[in-house]
Amino acid sequence: MKKIITCALASLLGLSVFAASYTNNTYQRLAKEYTQKAERALDAGKYELAEEYAIKAKENAQLSDEYIQHTLVRESAERNIALAKNKLSYMEKNGGKESHPAEYESAANSIARAEEAFAQEDWDAASEYARQAIETVDELYGSGSLPQYYVVRSWKSARDCFWNISGRSYVYNDPHLWKKLYEANKNLLPEPDNPDLIEIGTRLEIPSLSGEQRDGVYSPDKTYDTYKKR
């Protein structure tokens, strides 16, 4: 008898155990509490009570899952709106409001709609409007998957010098633009007037040349876009 009920309870408790391991919220804590009560009742031979507790554990686990999904969707909408705003700000700082007024207005309107949908707790619509704004800006400036910084490696391992670094596809894709990189970082060199003397570990900033969006430090483990001069 106990073995049969144990199997039934295991089925009922499976969801609550999973939910409890995911994140901390009131429903999850109740699910855990009822799970423990069900286990104690089962050990005491109180099978009907154990089943009641197991059902309550499952109900709260399901509520926890719903709460988690609600939270995740809301947070995703928040992140998308924040990213859209950052991209629109980047566009404005780079003269895009004047050079591409129609696209700027379109992105701004999409963000306004996203914020309105968010206020109405329509998270999916908010994310969709935010993504529309992001795509509008990305069509002009790229997705931003270009590094903003590069940490110099050894000549033996990477053949690093301003000429070679500038020629890399994710930097300027043209070694002849090495002076742009050098001028932006010459104050970091041990001899600022000598571009040939560059130390391993120096963190070089890669300035934007044509309004392209750059972010983060170059990592050989990531895949980057190819820089295209506009």
Side-chain angles (χ1 to χ4, degrees), residues 107-169:
N109 287 339
S110 293
I111 292 173
R113 291 178 181 176
E115 292 182 318
E116 182 179 349
F118 189 89
Q120 296 173 354
E121 298 189 0
D122 189 346
W123 320 126
D124 290 332
S127 284
E128 180 58 30
Y129 283 128
R131 282 193 290 267
Q132 290 175 12
I134 292 168
E135 290 173 1
T136 297
V137 178
D138 283 350
E139 286 179 2
L140 297 173
Y141 296 95
S143 63
S145 54
L146 288 171
Q148 185 178 4
Y149 299 96
Y150 179 87
V151 178
V152 177
R153 294 173 289 177
S154 70
W155 175 261
K156 182 178 180 181
S157 64
R159 292 292 191 268
D160 275 353
C161 64
F162 284 111
W163 174 274
N164 287 339
I165 295 172
S166 297
R168 307 233 167 95
S169 61

Side-chain angles (χ1 to χ4, degrees), residues 10-109:
S11 176
L12 287 171
L13 296 176
L15 181 58
S16 64
V17 172
F18 170 77
S21 68
Y22 187 78
T23 191
N24 187 27
N25 60 68
T26 300
Y27 301 117
Q28 172 251 21
R29 289 192 291 272
L30 284 171
K32 183 177 180 180
E33 180 181 329
Y34 280 120
T35 298
Q36 293 171 343
K37 287 182 177 180
E39 291 172 346
R40 288 196 294 269
L42 181 64
D43 290 339
K46 300 177 181 179
Y47 303 129
E48 291 185 2
L49 183 60
E51 187 172 358
E52 289 178 10
Y53 285 142
I55 291 172
K56 289 182 178 181
K58 182 178 181 181
E59 289 173 350
N60 279 280
Q62 290 173 334
L63 290 172
S64 177
D65 285 346
E66 291 171 6
Y67 171 82
I68 291 167
Q69 291 304 314
H70 177 85
T71 301
L72 291 175
V73 173
R74 186 193 68 214
E75 290 180 350
S76 177
E78 287 180 331
R79 288 193 298 271
N80 286 331
I81 291 173
L83 178 58
K85 286 182 174 180
N86 287 339
K87 285 182 176 287
L88 189 67
S89 176
Y90 177 87
M91 182 179 182
E92 186 170 358
K93 289 178 182 177
N94 284 274
K97 187 175 182 179
E98 292 75 24
S99 60
H100 302 283
E103 289 83 354
Y104 181 90
E105 183 178 0
S106 175
N109 287 339

